[in-house]
């Protein structure tokens, strides 16, 4: 028989609308207490009073009576958010008792006759102030029972009305032009594609996956549930449910289909995530909704009205706790960027909304608005550049979820809703691949564990599967197989894989250079595609102009990367935690990249930063529409002045990229242009060289420019410049960096290495990590003389470790540089201008040379060759601005204009 303190706590709200109701404070001192178990007291130390257990209980919930009971009265039934304040009685004891380090304390709550639920009331992430979650008050007055944990004082409870995210007015009134057909199935297959998928099950390539699904589907699965007891998610059960539902879809075996329905309906009815928020739990929550949606659609004929109704209620109960909220417009979350651009909308909510559309069309209205009116037009614009603004890792992950959306619509309708440029996106991951199996760095990198194994191979096979199946690209299918396939998701593989598409492992058909277009301007150039452990291939990337999209994208416009037997020039930032001081002041910032810094001491700091690194504008804002991208100069990082490679389009001898990057910096920079000329020398000793030019004009001579490159090993400094090195699997590479301008007597050089790697103009950001980036080296070069005009001219030679560098001749003219290296004669316009004056080129007689001229003004030029008494016209195309030819012991005069009566295009 329970003994109660003789008072009931009644909470009353004034008569106002539901959304305007005020917060309800619970005075625990006046609650109905179980005096055998708890006491209300004020602890030592001066903090507020609260409820604590008298002794460590021998029995917990449900083996003892509630410790307190209160009556909650509101003006109307509805959903409310419950919050708590608590603190440990003995924090040190809690630390000693908790082996996980989370220091989690949970209490149990029961509202009315609803199921008892477990909620976190204290942990080391949020401390004692916890949002316990959303609770539905079925009546205006409800009793609430609470069971407390040991070593914890519950000091307060609050209730406030749950206010869902406000949908944009356009979404509220949205009437989708594209709606689900009446026929089922709708998810992943329709009546036309279903026979195709069934037929493919019989192929040899799909046989092992089908055998795995069949074995799982036919094996009975014991899953006892109690409607009065909640459970946490069970990923293994979800896979079983999915496989049984798929087996029914393929075979129409009703016994298996009914088992899938029974399992998923009981699972969803008792599934509860409580207020667990750490570990991106929304992804687990979404997967449960997705699994339920598959069964709802695929097994629709096997469900009665009651089961369907309960599942729809469970869907809506669960979806409210998604990170984007429901409707999916919570706060800063968006389908365009951030976590909203993951599985939440494009797979989980879209699948749910399509599945329940007949009975409840509202979910589809909001999801269709998000996908069709927001995401599709934005990506049509962005994917003009076939690379992802969130980088290698987050791009690979998030793009895969967009591909889910693309596939779900395509299979349901029989035609695509996304622009066809989505098919070009996977080339990004092919070109960023380095010969050691890893990737050039781009954005926040979480997947490439450089320290774990030399044999690590970067992979995201699910995204590759979605891509090659959608586009029919045999080369991407080969990449999928190289990444190990998708053995843990046989259902998705069977839904998509076409066994008639044979993998193509021969990349020699691809151009060695990739221009990534106008939105994310950049270029990757390489000497070959071999991926052997001792591969001598050189891979280089230059980032340029375009637009910035925030979040995991870095402030790296103009950054250079070079791979040769390992990273020679690259990024030193490590993605260890989002938004930490190290992350926002080094990892994502220009200082971590090989690019130009310009220090204006008065430049304001943005987005929780504390260090002025002198780099490009640091941004965490992202645009949500094409109009916003094009109309707000904040997102603009500059213009591509030229991008070209040739003369052979597959194995180019040169690759040229030139960008005006003024817009990437604040007004400290008056103008800044950079050019990159990659030379595939086709030599064993020195396979490649790069000429890098920077032309800067600041708005104040007091602003200090720093030309910076970052490397993993400490460089050797010499009079010519410096020497870099790296090695992989016993094979080494040396990069000779010769800086011609500023000259050796006109420049100052600083090196930060080892413990000072992340020393950024007075602030040191150290991280503990076994990754080599944590103790890399930064080389900063600045002119000695103060001036608003600064020029840098540098030649990089990538050589095998035992080989000497090649001789380089260098001559500066008014508007261009004349450089000779190996069998190349180079005329390179200064990066902030186009050549529009006559140029004289003398080709030596000791061998045949390839003459390469870059930066010519577009339009017609005339070429005279006195030694052959010839004259001809060439047309330099806008955006290309290059020409080349082979010659020996000849003199050429290039002059702008088209002459009458001479040959056209003689090269």
């Amino acid at each position: 028989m329970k003994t109660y303190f003789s008072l009931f706590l009644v909470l009353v709200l004034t008569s106002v609308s539901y959304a305007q109701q005020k917060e309800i404070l619970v005075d625990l001192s006046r609650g109905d207490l179980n005096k055998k178990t708890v006491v209300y007291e004020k602890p030592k130390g001066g903090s507020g009073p609260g409820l604590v257990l008298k002794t460590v209980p021998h029995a917990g919930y449900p083996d003892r009576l509630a410790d307190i009971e209160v009556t909650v009265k509101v003006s109307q039934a509805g959903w409310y958010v419950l919050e708590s304040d608590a603190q440990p009685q003995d924090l040190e004891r809690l630390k000693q008792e908790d082996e996980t380090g989370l220091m989690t304390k949970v209490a149990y709550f029961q509202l009315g006759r609803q199921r008892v639920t477990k909620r976190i009331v204290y942990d080391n992430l949020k401390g004692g102030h916890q949002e316990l979650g959303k609770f539905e008050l079925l009546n205006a007055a409800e009793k609430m029972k609470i069971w407390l944990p040991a070593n914890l004082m519950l000091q307060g409870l609050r209730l406030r009305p749950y206010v869902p995210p406000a949908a944009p007015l356009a979404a509220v009134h949205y009437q989708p032009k594209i709606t689900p057909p009446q026929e089922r199935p709708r998810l992943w297959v329709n009546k036309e594609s279903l026979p195709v998928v069934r037929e493919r099950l019989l192929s040899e390539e799909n046989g092992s996956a089908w055998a795995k699904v069949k074995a799982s589907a036919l094996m009975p699965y014991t899953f006892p549930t109690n409607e009065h007891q909640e459970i946490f998610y069970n990923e293994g059960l979800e896979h079983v449910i999915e496989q049984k539902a798929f087996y029914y879809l393929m075979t129409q075996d009703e016994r298996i289909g009914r088992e899938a329905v029974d399992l998923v309906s009981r699972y969803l009815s008792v599934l509860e995530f409580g207020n667990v928020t750490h570990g991106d739990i929304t992804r687990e929550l979404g997967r449960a909704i997705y699994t339920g949606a598959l069964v709802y659609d695929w097994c629709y004929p096997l469900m009665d009205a009651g089961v369907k109704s309960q599942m729809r209620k469970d869907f809506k109960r669960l979806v409210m706790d998604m990170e984007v909220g429901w409707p999916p417009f919570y706060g800063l979350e968006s389908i365009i960027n951030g976590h909203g651009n993951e599985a939440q909308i494009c797979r989980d909510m879209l699948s749910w909304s399509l599945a329940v559309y007949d009975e409840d069309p509202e979910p589809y209205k909001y999801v269709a608005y998000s996908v069709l009116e927001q995401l599709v037009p934005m990506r049509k614009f962005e994917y003009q550049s076939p690379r992802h603004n969130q980088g290698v890792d987050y791009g690979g992950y998030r793009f895969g979820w967009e591909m889910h959306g693309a596939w779900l619509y395509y299979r349901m309708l029989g035609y695509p809703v996304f622009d066809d440029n989505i098919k070009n996106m996977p080339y990004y991951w092919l070109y960023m691949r380095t010969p050691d199996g890893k990737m050039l760095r781009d954005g926040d990198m979480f997947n490439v564990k450089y320290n774990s194994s030399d044999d690590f191979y970067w992979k995201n096979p699910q995204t590759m599967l979605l891509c090659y199946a959608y586009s029919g690209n045999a080369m991407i299918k080969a990449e999928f197989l190289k990444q190990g396939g998708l053995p843990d998701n046989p259902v998705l593989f069977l839904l998509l894989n076409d066994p008639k598409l044979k993998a193509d492992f021969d990349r020699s058909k691809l151009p060695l250079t990739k221009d990534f277009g106008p939105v994310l301007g950049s270029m990757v150039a390489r000497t070959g595609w071999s991926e052997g452990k001792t591969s001598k291939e050189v891979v280089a990337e230059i980032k340029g102009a375009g637009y910035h999209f925030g979040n995991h994208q870095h402030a790296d416009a103009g950054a250079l990367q070079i791979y040769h037997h390992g990273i020679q020039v690259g990024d030193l930032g490590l993605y260890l935690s989002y938004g930490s001081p190290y992350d926002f002041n080094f990892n994502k910032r220009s200082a971590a990249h090989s690019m130009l810094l310009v220090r204006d001491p008065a430049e304001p700091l943005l987005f929780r930063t504390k260090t002025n690194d002198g780099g490009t504008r640091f941004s965490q804002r992202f645009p949500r529409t094409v109009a916003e991208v094009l109309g707000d100069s904040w997102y603009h990082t500059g213009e591509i002045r030229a991008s070209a490679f040739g003369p052979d389009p597959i194995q180019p001898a040169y690759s040229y990229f030139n960008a005006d990057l003024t817009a990437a910096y604040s007004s400290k920079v008056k103008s800044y242009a950079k050019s990159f000329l990659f030379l595939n020398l086709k030599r064993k000793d020195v396979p490649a060289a790069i000429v890098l030019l920077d032309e800067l004009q600041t708005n104040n001579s007091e602003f200090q420019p720093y030309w910076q490159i970052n490397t993993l090993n400490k460089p050797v400094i010499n009079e010519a410049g410096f020497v870099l090195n790296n090695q992989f699997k016993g094979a080494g590479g040396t990069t000779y960096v010769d800086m011609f301008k500023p000259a050796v007597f006109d420049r100052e050089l600083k090196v930060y290495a080892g413990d000072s790697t992340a020393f950024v103009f007075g602030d040191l950001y150290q991280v503990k990590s076994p990754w080599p980036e944590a103790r890399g080296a930064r080389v900063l070069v600045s002119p000695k003389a103060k001036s608003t005009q600064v020029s840098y001219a540098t030649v990089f030679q990538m050589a095998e470790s035992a080989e000497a560098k090649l001789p380089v001749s260098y001559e500066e003219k008014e508007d261009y540089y004349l450089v000779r290296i190996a069998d190349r004669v180079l005329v390179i316009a200064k990066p902030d201008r186009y050549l529009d004056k006559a140029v004289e080129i003398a080709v030596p007689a000791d061998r045949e040379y390839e003459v390469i001229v870059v930066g010519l003004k577009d339009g017609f030029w005339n070429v005279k060759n006195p030694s052959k008494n010839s004259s001809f016209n060439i047309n330099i195309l806008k955006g290309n601005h290059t020409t080349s030819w082979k010659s020996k012991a000849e003199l050429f005069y290039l002059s702008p204009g088209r002459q009458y009566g001479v040959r056209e295009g003689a090269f």
Side-chain angles (χ1 to χ4, degrees), residues 42-61:
K42 185 172 183 179
K44 298 176 181 179
S47 63
L51 286 174
V52 295
L53 294 180
K54 291 181 176 180
T55 60
V56 176
H58 295 291
Y61 167 80

Side-chain angles (χ1 to χ4, degrees), residues 8-9 103 125 148 251 297-298 368 376 478 754 762 781 829 863 867:
F8 277 88
L9 174 64
M103 297 192 296
L125 297 174
L148 297 177
T251 66
D297 180 57
W298 291 350
V376 168
V781 180
V863 183
S867 59

Side-chain angles (χ1 to χ4, degrees), residues 382-422:
E382 288 181 67
Y383 293 161
Q384 295 176 84
S385 282
R387 66 181 296 156
H388 204 285
N389 63 62
Q390 295 298 282
V392 167
D393 282 352
Y394 276 97
Y397 181 73
R398 291 179 177 172
F399 182 67
W401 300 121
E402 289 182 12
M403 287 303 303
H404 276 76
W407 263 112
L408 286 166
Y409 268 110
Y410 177 68
R411 275 284 177 81
M412 180 180 73
L413 302 172
Y415 61 86
V417 298
F418 282 80
D419 190 90
D420 270 359
N421 62 18
I422 199 173

Side-chain angles (χ1 to χ4, degrees), residues 312 330 439 451 507 521 600 632 674 738 741 772 807 886:
R312 292 196 302 274
Y330 182 75
M439 290 279 182
N451 63 307
R507 293 188 186 171
D600 168 13
D632 189 339
K674 186 184 197 87
D738 290 357
K741 194 174 183 182
K886 291 185 177 180

Side-chain angles (χ1 to χ4, degrees), residues 673-743:
K674 186 184 197 87
S675 69
F676 161 94
L677 180 60
F678 180 90
L679 304 172
N680 184 355
L681 299 178
K682 300 180 181 179
R683 297 171 60 110
K684 292 183 178 180
D685 56 345
V686 184
I690 295 171
V691 181
L692 195 70
L693 304 178
D694 297 80
E695 201 71 29
L696 169 71
Q697 186 175 3
T698 68
N699 274 308
N700 190 324
S701 61
E702 295 298 318
F703 298 164
Q704 186 68 52
Y706 296 91
W707 183 93
Q708 175 182 267
I709 64 168
N710 299 337
T711 186
L712 297 183
N713 299 314
K714 192 170 183 179
V716 175
I717 309 301
N718 58 29
E719 191 170 288
F722 29 93
V723 181
L724 316 177
N725 70 90
N726 207 344
Q727 64 176 4
F728 182 70
K729 290 290 187 180
T734 299
T735 298
Y736 298 99
V737 186
D738 290 357
M739 179 170 279
F740 298 104
K741 194 174 183 182

Side-chain angles (χ1 to χ4, degrees), residues 88-108:
Q89 289 177 282
D90 188 333
L91 183 59
E92 292 303 316
R93 179 157 60 91
L94 178 58
K95 292 178 180 178
Q96 294 171 6
E97 293 172 347
D98 188 272
E99 297 179 355
T100 66
L102 295 175
M103 297 192 296
T104 303
K105 283 289 183 180
V106 300
Y108 291 84

